[in-house]
Amino acid sequence: MVRTRFAPSPTGYLHIGGARTALFSWAYARKHGGKFILRIEDTDLERSTESSVQAILDAMRWLGLDWDEGPFFQMQRLGRYKEVAEKLIAQGKAYRCWASKEDLDAMRERQRERGEKPRYDGRWRPERAKAAGLVPPADRAPVVRFRNPDEGDIVFHDLVKGSITVANAELDDLVLLRADGVPTYNFGVVVDDLDMNITHVIRGDDHVNNTPRQVNIFQALGAELPKFAHVPMILGADGERLSKRHGAVSVMQYEEDGYLPEALVNYLARLGWSHGDEEMFTVEQFLEWFDLAHISRSAAQFNPEKLRWLNHQYLRQRPDADLAKLVAPRIERAGGKLAGGPEPLRVVALLKERSETLAALAGEAMMFYAEPGAARSAVTAEVRPALAEVAAAFSALGDWRAEAIMSAIQAVIDKHKLKLPKLAMPLRMIVFGRTQTPNLGPVLALAGKKRVLERLQEHLAA
């Protein structure tokens, strides 16, 4: 059975790159009827926080990326890492090292002076320590280091990048367990992937350089390698690594900004993967089409404008009743009073073609649910008599529909020899508190006769 995993570190929020990795891992498991495991790599004790864990879980749920097992936490598995490290020590494949930070700094400095690559020199390998007469200091806890093979190559096949070969001579003896018993990244992931029977490791290609070390640890444990697939980095439009200045905020910021989860999932799916020229597709279609063979080897480019366009397409397709439920709380949070305005469903139907996000839709809808504020500066002496006649004409209307409203306005315009904008702008300001709205007839009809007349009369009486 296919078993994939997503293993974020809870040192911040879930960002676009991590969400895309989670999506690909989830999709591969779902497509093949397998299991998707969520693991929290919380060994960075200084930076890991409960709030970050919760933010990651919230983002996964919002995106619809459900997990079958977990979340598992590395800090709850310290005994297991110690057990595996002791097994490697007993087999001569790992050893304890008492080198201090000062020892290591001095070692690297001498190597740099000789023009060599700074690396651990293996001085606490048992045979070398014995030959050099090194004695373990009583006042210092050791780390556990992996005894990396001195010769040969590490060869593994990456399902995205193809065959990768690294010489063992390039690698030093990495630390497996720190002095406090906490595993390093490369050791923790191998033990976890083994214990959780992970068959496919799908992750960002910033981890490619870690993979040869992990392959050696897998082999030292006599384990079968999982299949690796390293997905391309995501860059900003300027070709630099994606960061906040490119709009790469946390996943839940997109929710706050009014993006729909299905739009973000669709967009993430197209970052580094494609199915022909398909731009828009459902999650069901994505799961049917998804494969690792069509993941690009080259970096993907994040385009906020494309994401907004895609979100607008999904927003337009959503039933008005759904959108009304999503927009109503946003209106109330902004201070709008739903009880005093038209039915949100009708407002959404009128405005959604103009709005790229739920936040923009709620902002537009506020014209129906908030007080318009002062509009005196928008009304000139030339227009004031015409506005009074519009109010009288509106009061006499028995048919409060867009066509009848516009006919009444047109009659006043013709009588006073005005152009429509001369009257339309102050009307919008008085009733809605803004100079731009959709077509005047439909928005006035939706605002309701009582509300429109009250605001007009209140203004004219001032």
Side-chain angles (χ1 to χ4, degrees):
M1 176 187 283
V2 166
R3 289 175 62 87
T4 68
R5 45 72 158 185
F6 178 54
S9 297
T11 55
Y13 302 109
L14 181 61
H15 292 280
I16 286 294
R20 196 270 309 263
T21 298
L23 174 63
F24 284 5
S25 295
W26 174 83
Y28 195 78
R30 292 288 171 265
K31 179 184 175 73
H32 294 281
K35 299 290 185 184
F36 176 60
I37 289 84
L38 179 60
R39 192 167 76 217
I40 305 296
E41 298 188 343
D42 56 347
T43 56
D44 186 337
L45 301 180
E46 289 184 6
R47 297 169 61 217
S48 295
T49 66
E50 281 296 321
S51 61
S52 292
V53 172
Q54 193 56 53
I56 290 167
L57 301 183
D58 290 345
M60 297 279 286
R61 291 189 181 106
W62 183 67
L63 290 171
L65 306 182
D66 56 321
W67 53 93
D68 301 297
E69 297 174 22
F72 299 108
F73 294 83
Q74 288 189 322
M75 288 304 292
Q76 295 173 7
R77 289 172 43 80
L78 297 185
R80 176 60 178 152
Y81 305 126
K82 184 174 187 297
E83 176 189 343
V84 177
E86 291 292 347
K87 175 183 173 184
L88 289 171
I89 291 171
Q91 294 174 344
K93 297 172 181 176
Y95 58 93
R96 291 180 175 84
C97 167
W98 282 268
S100 67
K101 181 180 182 301
E102 292 74 23
D103 293 339
L104 296 172
D105 288 343
M107 177 195 309
R108 292 178 186 125
E109 185 56 38
R110 287 194 296 273
Q111 289 167 337
R112 276 189 286 266
E113 287 171 359
R114 295 195 298 267
E116 299 171 3
K117 178 180 174 182
R119 53 188 287 158
Y120 177 68
D121 61 8
R123 64 180 60 182
W124 279 98
R125 285 187 175 189
E127 71 282 4
R128 293 185 188 175
K130 184 177 179 181
L134 296 180
V135 178
D139 61 346
R140 188 185 310 149
V143 300
V144 175
R145 286 186 181 271
F146 179 67
R147 186 175 185 129
N148 198 78
D150 295 319
E151 299 174 347
D153 294 329
I154 306 114
V155 181
F156 67 95
H157 181 76
D158 188 283
L159 295 174
V160 174
K161 296 180 171 297
S163 182
I164 295 176
T165 302
V166 175
N168 273 312
E170 290 294 313
L171 306 178
D172 60 3
D173 292 355
L174 80 153
V175 174
L176 300 180
L177 282 186
R178 301 185 184 97
D180 60 3
V182 175
T184 57
Y185 168 76
N186 282 307
F187 185 48
V189 296
V190 170
V191 176
D192 291 345
D193 286 343
L194 270 176
D195 287 353
M196 296 170 195
N197 298 308
I198 301 302
T199 62
H200 293 74
V201 173
I202 301 168
R203 58 189 177 192
D205 68 1
D206 51 332
H207 287 295
V208 169
N209 290 340
N210 290 319
T211 307
R213 293 185 177 279
Q214 293 169 19
V215 167
N216 275 343
I217 299 171
F218 273 113
Q219 291 175 338
L221 291 169
E224 185 179 341
L225 290 179
K227 292 180 169 61
F228 295 99
H230 290 91
V231 300
M233 289 182 67
I234 303 174
L235 306 178
D238 57 1
E240 296 295 319
R241 184 168 180 166
L242 197 62
S243 65
K244 287 182 181 178
R245 65 189 174 86
H246 298 107
V249 293
S250 72
V251 166
M252 294 312 287
Q253 184 64 50
Y254 286 101
E255 190 270 342
E256 181 67 24
D257 291 346
Y259 287 82
L260 296 171
E262 60 267 34
L264 187 54
V265 165
N266 189 158
Y267 184 72
L268 290 174
R270 289 285 282 113
L271 279 178
W273 172 87
S274 62
H275 182 79
D277 295 325
E278 298 288 344
E279 290 285 353
M280 280 188 72
F281 39 80
T282 64
V283 170
E284 290 73 26
Q285 287 172 313
F286 174 52
L287 294 182
E288 180 185 336
W289 296 336
F290 182 70
D291 61 0
L292 299 175
H294 286 88
I295 292 178
S296 171
R297 292 187 182 189
S298 54
Q301 199 163 67
F302 180 77
N303 184 333
E305 289 76 24
K306 183 68 173 288
L307 173 56
R308 274 198 301 275
W309 174 85
L310 194 59
N311 195 68
H312 191 202
Q313 308 314 305
Y314 274 96
L315 195 143
R316 290 166 63 196
Q317 290 178 5
R318 269 284 190 113
D320 295 340
D322 284 1
L323 291 178
K325 287 177 185 173
L326 293 169
V327 166
R330 290 175 178 268
I331 293 170
E332 291 182 317
R333 285 200 299 271
K337 294 179 173 58
L338 294 173
E343 187 185 0
L345 188 146
R346 295 173 64 208
V347 172
V348 160
L350 178 66
L351 299 176
K352 71 178 185 179
E353 289 295 325
R354 296 162 53 95
S355 305
E356 291 184 322
T357 66
L358 293 173
L361 183 54
E364 286 280 302
M366 282 295 285
M367 73 172 87
F368 295 103
Y369 303 105
E371 293 302 317
R376 288 185 182 82
S377 60
V379 182
T380 62
E382 176 191 11
V383 172
R384 194 173 183 82
L387 278 173
E389 289 188 31
V390 166
F394 282 176
S395 185
L397 276 182
D399 177 15
W400 190 257
R401 287 185 297 177
E403 297 79 5
I405 291 167
M406 289 310 296
S407 294
I409 292 172
Q410 191 63 50
V412 174
I413 285 171
D414 292 344
K415 178 181 174 183
H416 289 264
K417 295 183 172 52
L418 296 170
K419 290 186 177 177
L420 179 59
K422 274 276 190 183
L423 196 58
M425 191 181 82
L427 252 179
R428 287 185 168 105
M429 280 298 298
I430 291 165
V431 178
F432 301 111
R434 55 186 72 189
T435 56
Q436 292 186 326
T437 69
N439 290 339
L440 194 55
V443 292
L444 289 172
L446 193 51
K449 181 176 179 178
K450 181 174 180 289
R451 188 183 184 92
V452 172
L453 280 175
E454 281 177 356
R455 290 183 172 178
L456 266 173
Q457 289 162 354
E458 180 184 327
H459 178 78
L460 291 167

